[in-house]
Amino acid sequence: DQQVKQNSPSLSVQEGRISILNCDYTNSMFDYFLWYKKYPAEGPTFLISISSIKDKNEDGRFTVFLNKSAKHLSLHIVPSQPGDSAVYFCAAADSGGYQKVTFGIGTKLQVIP
Amino acid sequence: DVKVTQSSRYLVKRTGEKVFLECVQDMDHENMFWYRQDPGLGLRLIYFSYDVKMKEKGDIPEGYSVSREKKERFSLILESASTNQTSMYLCASSLLPGQGSYEQYFGPGTRLTVT
């Protein structure tokens, strides 16, 4: 039973345009959300996070939006660059438990020059 | 700069062998984790540890054990390797809840092939 779902296995975007990666969750106890980026043959690296007390968090070209009522979050990358081509993992945590994080299966983003 | 290192990038073992994967972090983090990554399945938690000598099962602990004798080191053990344990293994560390975000720092991964 997947508690964090990334329904798009892949996404292609032209350089300079917006990339939107989506994530849905089912566990209402999740109150902290993260996005990680992973290049081939490397470990994931933290990108951006958001607490459930917020609905938006921005860091440079990256913005995460959280819609608690829909149990949905999205990552926007503007403008997209070829170096953004990677697998993006959505992750969620329940602050009431141990620091266990549940990951989605990932979305492979390709930014076309 | 924070660092998580894993003992091997690539490893080939035979079915039935005992396999040790080592992970070391230099950030004085309390939490350490072992995941495996498989195509179409994402990152799945095998075991985690929130203190020395403490361990908790993750989502897929069967066939694995762990050891944490020192704060900076977390070992994953495959008691008798099987072909379905061929995977990318990722170690991570993080602060305890209340000390910061849930951000985990990952090592580069070990690609294990069991033949």
Side-chain angles (χ1 to χ4, degrees):
Chain A
D1 178 32
Q2 274 191 321
Q3 297 186 65
V4 177
K5 301 178 183 179
Q6 294 178 258
N7 293 318
S8 299
S10 63
L11 177 68
S12 288
V13 172
Q14 289 287 334
E15 181 179 4
R17 307 295 286 267
I18 184 171
S19 294
I20 300 176
L21 294 93
N22 293 304
C23 178
D24 298 295
Y25 61 96
T26 57
N27 188 340
S28 56
M29 298 300 292
F30 288 148
D31 55 1
Y32 198 89
F33 305 89
L34 310 95
W35 285 93
Y36 284 82
K37 175 178 173 180
K38 185 181 185 300
Y39 293 118
E42 294 184 14
T45 54
F46 170 74
L47 196 55
I48 193 169
S49 63
I50 188 167
S51 164
S52 61
I53 62 173
K54 295 184 177 180
D55 54 19
K56 177 182 173 181
N57 189 26
E58 199 169 349
D59 184 1
R61 296 185 297 114
F62 303 92
T63 303
V64 56
F65 295 92
L66 176 63
N67 182 335
K68 291 184 288 294
S69 61
K71 293 192 177 68
H72 177 84
L73 61 154
S74 60
L75 174 68
H76 293 211
I77 306 173
V78 184
S80 300
Q81 299 174 354
D84 296 328
S85 297
V87 176
Y88 289 79
F89 290 100
C90 173
D94 167 12
S95 62
Y98 290 116
Q99 205 161 351
K100 177 183 166 182
V101 173
T102 302
F103 287 82
I105 66 171
T107 296
K108 186 175 183 179
L109 173 66
Q110 183 184 19
V111 180
I112 303 164
Chain B
D1 194 19
V2 298
K3 203 156 189 181
V4 178
T5 56
Q6 296 183 227
S7 51
S8 305
R9 293 300 301 269
Y10 300 93
L11 210 52
V12 180
K13 295 291 181 181
R14 293 193 181 276
T15 301
E17 278 193 85
K18 191 168 186 176
V19 182
F20 293 87
L21 301 182
E22 304 283 339
C23 175
V24 177
Q25 52 98 0
D26 65 358
M27 296 162 284
D28 202 34
H29 283 168
E30 281 76 14
N31 287 338
M32 295 189 76
F33 307 83
W34 275 106
Y35 295 89
R36 60 179 282 179
Q37 183 195 1
D38 300 288
L41 297 175
L43 273 68
R44 294 181 292 166
L45 181 64
I46 305 171
Y47 267 97
F48 66 101
S49 168
Y50 53 91
D51 201 354
V52 174
K53 297 193 185 295
M54 304 303 289
K55 60 185 179 184
E56 291 286 336
K57 291 180 180 179
D59 301 316
I60 51 164
E62 297 78 19
Y64 303 95
S65 62
V66 290
S67 173
R68 192 160 181 207
E69 297 296 321
K70 293 185 178 182
K71 189 176 184 179
E72 68 272 17
R73 189 178 297 270
F74 193 34
S75 302
L76 180 69
I77 303 153
L78 286 67
E79 295 290 341
S80 177
S82 63
T83 54
N84 63 12
Q85 293 178 309
T86 292
S87 185
M88 169 70 85
Y89 289 88
L90 292 159
C91 175
S93 71
S94 71
L95 294 167
L96 278 175
Q99 292 181 322
S101 75
Y102 288 82
E103 179 183 344
Q104 295 183 9
Y105 296 84
F106 284 83
T110 296
R111 170 71 65 184
L112 172 67
T113 302
V114 182
T115 61

